[in-house]
Amino acid sequence: PGPRRQRGAAGAAADAPPADSGAVVVREPTFWEKATNFGSGSGFGWFGDAAGSVGDRIFGETEQAEALRELRELMPDFDMDKFLTEEVAQKQRDVLGAYLRGDMEALRRCCRDAAYGALHKSVMEREAHQLQMDERLLFLSDPEIESVRYIGGMPTPVVSFEAHQLNCVRSKSTKQIVEGDEDDIRAVHYLFALQPTEDWAEPEPEAAGEAPADGGEAGGEAGGEEGREKSKEPPPDKWQVTELAVRGMQSVY
């Protein structure tokens, strides 16, 4: 077989000008790249930047210590290992899965306003073009803590992780691939900042055999219907993503 065609950042074969032409080629990002490279605001301005001085580093370390201490005051049961392996690991799948499906209700439950706004805008653009992204998440790395910072005055753990996704976009009407390919795997490096859900509280376990407050049967017919309706509502998430960004992406062979 002939040599494999080299993919560029968009996943297509690179059509480079002759080496001696001196031309500079600026390629527009593909739809998938734009849809994946979302960001929710300026809260991540300090990511990836080296501290400018010893004073900057000391200030950053002091802020992190103060933020972590305040977080543990707000949530005395906070455990970093449990937070990463349980809360964040679930949020990875919940947020990315809902985004790829275009499930705005699930995103509203998982995200605060800034993160939700960025994802909602991207989903609406996708809907306007009647396009569908491949929903499969082929791999999710274990999340790692980057820092604990103040965002919006709240102590906020910031985590990073890698996801392997397919650069494959289909037409919603024809189901035909209009961009990328089913074997074009991309490694995407994410940053999530998470905060406790506002007014969240540990659900109180119901005492077995507890009598109704009115002394009657367990809520009667109307109360039973109301209880069944309430039971259908998903419980609120303990943590929500308040900011998110993509640190980078690259092809995986």
Side-chain angles (χ1 to χ4, degrees):
R4 182 171 182 173
R5 301 169 74 194
Q6 179 65 38
R7 283 191 176 130
D15 295 320
D20 58 353
S21 69
V24 176
V25 177
V26 178
R27 180 186 60 79
E28 286 292 322
T30 66
F31 176 85
W32 187 89
E33 288 172 332
K34 289 188 290 185
T36 303
N37 193 24
F38 46 70
S40 58
S42 59
F44 289 101
W46 33 265
F47 275 115
D49 297 329
S53 66
V54 173
D56 291 336
R57 288 194 294 274
I58 293 173
F59 176 79
E61 292 167 2
T62 303
E63 180 192 7
Q64 175 158 306
E66 290 177 354
L68 184 57
R69 182 170 59 251
E70 183 174 339
L71 180 62
R72 285 178 168 148
E73 288 175 358
L74 292 171
M75 307 181 75
D77 63 341
F78 178 79
D79 178 87
M80 185 64 76
D81 290 337
K82 187 175 180 180
F83 170 72
L84 291 172
T85 58
E86 296 182 11
E87 301 288 350
V88 180
Q90 187 61 48
K91 276 291 171 290
Q92 291 174 308
R93 293 191 177 278
D94 289 349
V95 173
L96 295 184
Y99 173 69
L100 293 173
R101 295 192 308 272
D103 186 343
M104 301 313 303
E105 184 177 345
L107 285 176
R108 179 75 279 183
R109 204 162 53 243
C110 296
C111 301
R112 289 199 174 187
D113 288 346
Y116 176 80
L119 298 174
H120 179 270
K121 179 181 178 181
S122 183
V123 170
M124 290 301 99
E125 182 178 356
R126 189 194 317 168
E127 291 292 329
H129 289 86
Q130 287 294 290
L131 297 175
Q132 185 174 17
M133 298 178 73
D134 196 294
E135 300 175 10
R136 287 171 286 181
L137 291 170
L138 305 179
F139 167 78
L140 286 170
S141 71
D142 294 333
E144 297 181 359
I145 189 71
E146 291 281 330
S147 64
V148 181
R149 297 276 181 163
Y150 283 103
I151 296 180
M154 285 286 294
T156 306
V158 180
V159 300
S160 62
F161 63 93
E162 178 181 319
H164 289 184
Q165 300 170 224
L166 290 172
N167 173 25
C168 183
V169 181
R170 297 177 184 271
S171 164
K172 291 189 74 172
S173 57
T174 67
K175 306 303 181 185
Q176 297 297 310
I177 296 175
V178 297
E179 184 181 288
D181 203 337
E182 284 190 321
D183 66 354
D184 186 357
I185 304 172
R186 300 296 178 93
V188 186
H189 301 271
Y190 289 98
L191 296 168
F192 278 13
L194 298 97
Q195 293 180 342
T197 301
E198 293 179 3
D199 302 325
W200 187 90
E202 288 282 358
E204 297 181 3
E206 295 182 5
E210 184 177 349
D214 60 3
E217 296 184 2
E221 185 176 346
E225 288 294 333
E226 183 181 353
R228 280 190 290 274
E229 286 300 317
K230 286 184 178 180
S231 67
K232 295 178 184 177
E233 298 176 3
D237 291 348
K238 185 174 183 178
W239 293 84
Q240 291 178 309
V241 177
T242 187
E243 297 273 5
L244 72 173
V246 172
R247 177 178 273 172
M249 61 182 78
Q250 63 189 55
S251 294
V252 176
Y253 291 95

